[in-house]
Amino acid sequence: MNFITIKTILLFSFFSLFSVIVRTQSNEYPIIPVPAELVPQKGSFTLNDKTQLYFQNTMDSSFEEAFYLFREHLKRSTGFDLPKANTNSGKNIIICKLNTNLEKDEAYKLLVSRSKIEIEAKTPIGLFYALQSIRQLLPMEFEQTTLSTSTKWNIPCCVINDAPTFVYRGLHMDVCRHFVSVEEVKKYIDQIAMLKLNTFHWHLTDDQAWRIEIKKYPKLTTVGAYRNRTLQGHNNDYPRVWDNTRTGGFYTQEEIKDVVDYARKRFVTIIPEIEMPGHATAVVASYPELSCSGGPFDVEGRWGVFNDVFCTKDETFSFLEDVLTEVAALFPSPYIHIGGDECPKVRWKRCHACQQRMKDEGLEDEHQLQSYFVKRMETVVHKLGKRIIGWDEILEGGIAPDATVMSWRGIAGGISAAKQGHDVIMTPSEAMYFDFYQSSLHTEPLAIGGYLPIERVYAFNPYVKELEPKDLKHILGVQANTWTEYMPDAQHREMMVFPRVAALAEVGWTSEKNKDFDSFAIRLPKLMKRYDIMGINYSRAFYSVVGTAINDGGLKLKLSTIAPETSIHYTTDGSDPTLSSPIYREPIPVGEKEMVVKAISVKNNKVMYIPYERSFIANKAGGQKVVFENADGVRFEQNGSGNLTDCTMGGRPVSRPDWFSYAGTDGSITIEFEKLTSISKITFSSANQNNVLVYSPKSINFLVSEDGTTFFPVGAVWHQQMAAAKGKAIVSFTPKKVKKIKLEIAMYGIIPNTEPNSGEMSALFVDEIIVE
Ligand code: ACM
Ligand code: ZN
């Protein structure tokens, strides 16, 4: 045996040993987020009606308060009271000790032995977090609201030394697009506290509603909290369909105080967001004098970005100061979020007051006017003893001196802000938008678009590699955002948040070196069982079948799931797969005949998620090499591969999966056949969905080459022809033997004056090139 094989075997056994440890540990200690250090020990501690509780006398009453909820919860499901002990010397005891040597306020140590549990914390929050870990080590029946008499309340022995990586770990919820009741908000606070998240970002105002009672401006809620109609279906779908029911709701200041107090007891800070200067339709519908044009306006029933924003006249600033004064008094949070995103400048450009403001203040353009607006509001917020957070648009035109930035349009804003010495919360849409689809199935309930399976949430590291070490201290942490346009009810919202929020928790808490998706994937189903008991309608997309077209001696479909201990059963004859359908073992040849592959994931003889389904169009381009050239533009990541020769059409509308998309200069697409192939027809399939800036090309020249270098034209198609043929360009010709085909694409480019969205850059969405 040579050295290399020995090394390989050693390495291999190290890895398999490692994975056994990961599996055992993750099974027995399924804590999410995974603790910084956890050393398993033999045996377990058993809670019973004799178990006592002891607070070391140097702890003050705030520690006992931090214990209160756990004790109440425990009483419900176990019936045990945890009577207070007089000394710490006995057995069957939980001892809480103050440890001022712990570095971080949220840190804790936990020792579970057969005879006692010891918790060390520096602050009540550390104690609270130790109890969340104990909770997840207890049998899941702990989550019941009724007594479970048959459960043995064992906690596996261990030593835990734990602290978070990031100080800011947040979940955001938009309660404007759809109203979220106080009760539901509290449910989110319960759940994020269990996962050691510490911030709830309450998005309280937007175009579609104003949700917080402001005593000085009653119309904000009598008018602004209600709308007369709500768009149904996707914002990009035409013709529009409306639900004409008047809907709405708001929180009284008493309710807000109640929620804030509820959160405080769970060590969750609530950051209120009051949007400005954009997303203000509900305000100007209530007080039209705060707009540039004077209105009148309706509270908006569509989704998107709207032009009637706050005017920059003095009345607006007095109004906002009054509003924020009431807001600041309600929320103990050190921050107020002032929005700042997506503020169109068209009204300001034509407004006398706004133009005068620019002159008076020496502002060069409307971006600087926005910056002026935010800076002026920052001084108001400072006067109220707080600091501002804003979305990354607040960088435009110059950032306010003390602002914290939420980087949502990717990570660039966060990097730039950190470089300028500003604090940053990373919440990039591609990793942290819980309104995106969770699987690539075309049958998932309607979402805004995008693709964010749980493993992508998990993979995000807020310390993005583009940051310089000196700037890392500005990265306070991470947040996921729940925009609710397409989440009309509580059940739907839960499905979008859970369990992705568990991955978020580990991103915020766990250091990069301790993150391990395989271990998370073992712990997650145990959390899901708790969710079952708690009645949380979590998504099972974690179990979805994922299909990837590969070229492996012809086009093949590879099926997989990220969930452990899951098998895949499939059919290729159009029938619905069942437990007795063949088990998937290797990639399935596709593309040689019309076929549909359907597949289910199965665990313990149960079908785990809605079936995967993908239709393949037989054609000669299937699996052949494609090259896109001249790509000096923006590629949009679209749910699915965007592969042009995978024999799969894109979902429609284009917010659905499987598109190749691009905005930029003219380009070409070349398909190279493995061998000389006789062809007589080429179909280029694109989307022409102009309302969302998606345009078929201006023109396409189709060329073919027998030797791979010299090309001959075989046809050309113009935009009008494609528009009339639902985005398709088809050329037919006498059969030719070819090595390559090339499509020279003239992009539609800037949208002309005659069309909606004129002046904007159009995008090209192509799903497939079919060759016959
Ligand atoms: C945002 O998603 N408009 C912050
Ligand atoms: Zn104005």
Side-chain angles (χ1 to χ4, degrees), residues 666 684 688 695-701 716-722 744-750 752 762 764:
D666 297 347
F684 167 92
N688 192 51
Y695 279 76
S696 294
K698 194 176 277 174
S699 66
I700 307 174
N701 279 327
V717 179
W718 299 91
H719 178 80
Q720 287 76 356
Q721 294 165 285
M722 287 181 251
E744 288 176 349
I745 295 175
M747 295 289 287
Y748 193 83
I750 303 286
S762 66
L764 174 65

Side-chain angles (χ1 to χ4, degrees), residues 291-292 311-312 347-348 351 353-354:
S291 70
C292 291
C311 180
T312 60
R347 296 292 184 262
W348 291 356
C351 170
C354 288

